[in-house]
Amino acid sequence: MELTLTNLTKEFKDITAVHHVSCTMTSGVYGLLGVNGAGKTTLMRMICTLLKPTGGTITWDGRDIFQMDREYRRILGYLPQDFGYYPDFTVYDYLMYVASIKGLRPIAARHRTKVLLKEVGMEKKAHTKMKKLSGGMKRRVGIAQAMLGDPKILILDEPTAGLDPNERIRFRNLISTLSEDRLVLLSTHIVPDITYIANEILLMKDGAIKDFGTSEELLSKMPEQVWTLTVPKKAMDSYLRDYKVANVKTVPEGAELRILSSKRPSKDAVLEAATLEDLFLAYFGESPYGHTRVEESAGEQDD
């Protein structure tokens, strides 16, 4: 079981969305981490044969996936960020409809649908119309439709975007359960999703894979160290201007800053262990939240 990308490139007129990507993936969960616009969706759509590359190849166990055609698609499950559905279909009818498109025989489709509804925790909602489901429930149905053919490759594009924390935890646990004996590629810009379930991480920026490895391997190669430092509020702006600041926490003394820097930013700064959120800031130049995270300490919030 081996999916290999070799010098994979995709160009749209004068824009290179994916630039000479090469990597090999086997079974397990792979996290494709990058900011919006990094090229993650374009890369996944090529892996799903929805887009043809401008250059390079994608092979499954040594065979070109575009030449494999239907044989490849039978072992592929895909959950796009926005998947289509008929709002007036019940959950069960929707899955049976997708099963028919995938060529499952009716008896097999009914059995598989019932099994998957139980696995994703939606058996009690089987006869609820799709339009009445919450966002998290729709994503669980999306996972079920992607799993109908018991695929060897499962591609998930931003599967937890917009979900509340409880649904994200449920979804991560579900993905971990479904990852046995298959290759799961999960794209996201939400760092905790990668932290808890990915065996290996691909860092993607400007259409290219900047690094690849386990979280421990990537953290050991971080170009900067992580420091915490408490400063008066009047000094905070200068630190925000001069350093990469991952987090600002308001405390009675002023502000506690989490700073990435190759040198100690102040004699009072304390060295800390780096996290994947720090790694995100180091590689992409911004926090996973799109801005510096600001927290209020207990007792300091307005009533």
Side-chain angles (χ1 to χ4, degrees), residues 82-101:
D82 298 305
F83 73 96
Y85 59 86
Y86 291 104
D88 287 319
F89 274 23
T90 66
V91 171
Y92 179 84
D93 288 341
Y94 168 72
L95 291 177
M96 287 296 293
Y97 168 72
V98 175
S100 69
I101 293 175

Side-chain angles (χ1 to χ4, degrees), residues 39-52:
K40 304 188 299 297
T41 295
T42 300
L43 178 63
M44 289 184 140
R45 288 175 63 84
M46 285 192 286
I47 293 172
C48 293
T49 71
L50 297 174
L51 287 174
K52 281 199 170 184

Side-chain angles (χ1 to χ4, degrees), residues 253-270:
E253 297 84 2
E256 183 180 282
L257 309 181
R258 188 175 181 89
I259 295 172
L260 272 65
S261 175
S262 56
K263 297 179 180 179
R264 187 185 294 269
S266 167
K267 62 182 179 61
D268 299 321
V270 177

